[in-house]
Amino acid sequence: MSDRVCISLTHAGDDPDRTTVAFVLANAALGSEKETVVFLSTEGVRVAQKGYADDINEEGFAPLSQLMNNFVEGGGRILVCAPCFNKRGLEPAKLVDGADVVGGATLIEFISEGVPVISY
């Protein structure tokens, strides 16, 4: 069994339920002592901007900003798809802590040895 997990998130404010649950699951993976990456692509890259997650609070869950902070403080990494980020004209200076804009090769390297990927 792999000691790594990748959560792929393609949503942001367009689907706050999926966005929130992705980070709930990412925190659960960290709690299970898995090296965990959240890969943000398409609309998901928007949550990597400071302040964006502040208004996402899905009923029954902790606020998204809190889930993201817990994830990063717990050792999780947020990888942001460079082409998706650039296409949307987002600002690198406004990235949340723990987020890195990367090319696809970084993700492929992380998952190349049979790492499970869960998509939202």
Side-chain angles (χ1 to χ4, degrees):
M1 182 171 7
S2 177
D3 62 346
R4 294 176 158 188
V5 173
C6 177
I7 310 295
S8 175
L9 177 59
T10 61
H11 295 278
D14 62 314
D15 193 334
D17 192 27
R18 286 185 190 193
T19 304
T20 300
V21 172
F23 276 95
V24 168
L25 192 60
N27 279 295
L30 283 180
S32 298
E33 300 183 4
K34 302 289 184 184
E35 181 183 356
T36 308
V37 162
V38 172
F39 180 69
L40 304 176
S41 63
T42 60
E43 282 300 298
V45 298
R46 295 187 186 281
V47 302
Q49 294 283 266
K50 287 181 182 171
Y52 185 91
D54 293 348
D55 296 329
I56 299 177
N57 190 4
E58 194 67 11
E59 185 177 342
F61 297 99
L64 180 59
S65 59
Q66 180 182 339
L67 292 168
M68 291 176 67
N69 287 336
N70 291 348
F71 177 70
V72 171
E73 288 173 8
R77 295 172 46 210
I78 300 173
L79 303 180
V80 183
C81 171
C84 301
F85 187 84
N86 295 332
K87 173 184 176 181
R88 286 160 179 80
L90 302 176
E91 298 180 44
K94 292 185 178 180
L95 281 172
V96 296
D97 292 339
D100 293 303
V101 177
V102 299
T106 302
L107 175 65
I108 298 304
E109 181 180 332
F110 184 82
I111 65 171
S112 65
E113 295 181 18
V115 173
V117 178
I118 303 164
S119 297
Y120 286 94

